[in-house]
Amino acid sequence: MAGAKHFRKRDAILDYLKQSKAHPSAETIYTDLKPQISDLAIGTVYRNLNLFKQQGLAASIATVNGTERFDGNTAPHVHFLCSQCDAVIDLDEIAVPASLSAAAQCCSGGSVQGCSLSFTGVCRECLKK
């Protein structure tokens, strides 16, 4: 029975992460899932996020104001980080060129295993204010 709870929590955390476009922190995931899973602990969220990163199911996108933010979309894509409201926004309209990874591999002499491309600035909503 304890194993079923363990996987129930893990599955809930992964489902939340996969469905979120907000690139949540561990604390946000914990706060949002706690009402549904009363025995959820923040340590459980952190452990599972680390496991998901190791398994390639999630990525750590950035540390925004000291808080690590996560993404359930592990395909190469571009992010925009707002320096005013801390939003992390997917820029799906911009493709990450395969040539970028190839160039990095050539310059480093290593093997590229992933690519993270982020822009920083002020988002559209903050500019309106």
Side-chain angles (χ1 to χ4, degrees):
M1 188 63 102
K5 285 185 180 181
H6 178 69
F7 289 113
R8 179 179 57 91
K9 293 173 190 175
R10 181 175 294 165
D11 291 345
I13 294 166
L14 185 58
D15 287 345
Y16 181 95
L17 191 58
K18 294 281 184 188
Q19 293 174 12
S20 176
K21 288 291 205 177
H23 306 87
S25 66
E27 292 83 3
T28 299
I29 295 169
Y30 169 76
T31 300
D32 289 352
L33 289 179
K34 182 71 173 168
Q36 302 158 31
I37 307 170
S38 61
D39 60 339
L40 183 65
I42 188 69
T44 301
V45 175
Y46 277 108
R47 279 190 300 279
N48 281 288
L49 288 171
N50 284 327
L51 176 67
F52 299 151
K53 287 191 306 184
Q54 291 171 357
Q55 294 175 334
L57 298 173
S60 175
I61 298 305
T63 300
V64 180
N65 281 332
T67 303
E68 187 175 16
R69 304 282 289 273
F70 298 91
D71 196 346
N73 178 0
T74 58
H77 62 285
V78 180
H79 292 100
F80 183 90
L81 287 70
C82 181
S83 59
Q84 289 189 5
C85 71
D86 299 337
V88 179
I89 303 163
D90 287 331
L91 299 179
D92 295 326
E93 304 83 5
I94 302 174
V96 177
S99 61
L100 188 61
S101 290
Q105 189 162 304
C106 182
C107 291
S108 70
S111 173
V112 173
Q113 297 175 334
C115 176
S116 175
L117 181 59
S118 298
F119 293 92
T120 57
V122 179
C123 74
R124 178 181 302 147
E125 295 304 314
C126 288
L127 285 174
K128 288 180 184 177
K129 294 177 186 176

